[in-house]
C-alpha cells in the first residue's frame, strides 16, 4: 500500500493524550499501560527538552506516534538518539506511516547534530531493516 495523501507528521501536543494512550495500550506487551501514570508521563515528556513525541495525523486523527530521546554519548563523538516506542494503528499499517515517523525523528536528530538512532524491538524486524537499520547488539533488561 502507499502513503495516505492526507497525513502529516507533527510534534504531539497535550490534545493528543487520549489517542496516544490508546495506541500505547494496544502496543504494550510487558506492562499494562495505566491511564493516570500515562497522563503524568505524557505531560512530563512533552515538557522535556531531550524527549520527542511525534504523531502522524491521518484525516484529522492520530494514526500513530513515536517517542524518542536524545542524549550525549562518548562512543559516538556526539549525541545519540533512542526510539523508545513507535506504534501505528493496526488498520493503517503498511501505508508508510511508521516509515514517515522514523524519518521525521531521524531528520530532527540529524538537524540537532545527532550521530546515531537506535532502538530495541521484539517484533517488526523486517520493517526496520527495510528502512535501513541493521541488527547490532543484544538487548538486556531487568524489570524493577
Amino acid at each position: 500500500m502507499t502513503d495516505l495523501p492526507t497525513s502529516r507528521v507533527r510534534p504531539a501536543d497535550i490534545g493528543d493524550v487520549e489517542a496516544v494512550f490508546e495506541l500505547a495500550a494496544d502496543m504494550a506487551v510487558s506492562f499494562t499501560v495505566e491511564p493516570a501514570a500515562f497522563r503524568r508521563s505524557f505531560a512530563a515528556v512533552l515538557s522535556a527538552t531531550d524527549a520527542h513525541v511525534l504523531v502522524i495525523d491521518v484525516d484529522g486523527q492520530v494514526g500513530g506516534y513515536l517517542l524518542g530521546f536524545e542524549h550525549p554519548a562518548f562512543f559516538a563523538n556526539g549525541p545519540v538518539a533512542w526510539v523508545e516506542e513507535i506504534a501505528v494503528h493496526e488498520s493503517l499499517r503498511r501505508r508508510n506511516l511508521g516509515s514517515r515517523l522514523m524519518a521525521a525523528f531521524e531528520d530532527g536528530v540529524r538537524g540537532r547534530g545527532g550521530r546515531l538512532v537506535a532502538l530495541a524491538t521484539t517484533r517488526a524486524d523486517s520493517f526496520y531493516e527495510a528502512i535501513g537499520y541493521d541488527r547490532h547488539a543484544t538487548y538486556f533488561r531487568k524489570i524493577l
Side-chain angles (χ1 to χ4, degrees):
M1 266 190 203
T2 60
D3 195 14
L4 300 170
T6 57
S7 62
R8 71 180 179 96
V9 176
R10 63 172 175 78
D13 61 46
I14 199 66
D16 298 317
V17 67
E18 293 305 321
V20 174
F21 170 77
E22 289 178 20
L23 286 162
D26 286 344
M27 177 212 47
V29 293
S30 297
F31 296 93
T32 299
V33 181
E34 299 172 3
F38 175 85
R39 286 179 182 82
R40 284 190 304 275
S41 293
F42 192 77
V45 165
L46 290 183
S47 66
T49 59
D50 62 344
H52 306 280
V53 182
L54 302 175
V55 295
I56 188 157
D57 276 334
V58 179
D59 294 327
Q61 302 293 317
V62 173
Y65 79 93
L66 181 148
L67 169 60
F69 296 89
E70 292 179 69
H71 61 86
F74 300 135
F75 75 92
N77 300 309
V80 298
W82 186 263
V83 175
E84 192 71 35
E85 301 175 18
I86 180 171
V88 172
H89 193 280
E90 189 172 1
S91 68
L92 297 172
R93 292 182 187 153
R94 300 196 177 280
R95 297 185 185 203
N96 296 326
L97 301 181
S99 299
R100 289 186 51 208
L101 284 164
M102 291 293 291
F105 183 65
E106 293 164 6
D107 289 347
V109 170
R110 189 180 298 110
R112 291 181 292 276
R115 311 272 301 172
L116 168 81
V117 174
L119 58 99
T121 186
T122 59
R123 45 192 171 173
D125 294 15
S126 60
F127 165 73
Y128 296 108
E129 289 167 352
I131 62 171
Y133 284 74
D134 58 281
R135 192 177 307 271
H136 181 71
T138 301
Y139 173 73
F140 293 91
R141 72 178 192 171
K142 184 177 191 177
I143 297 177
L144 305 175

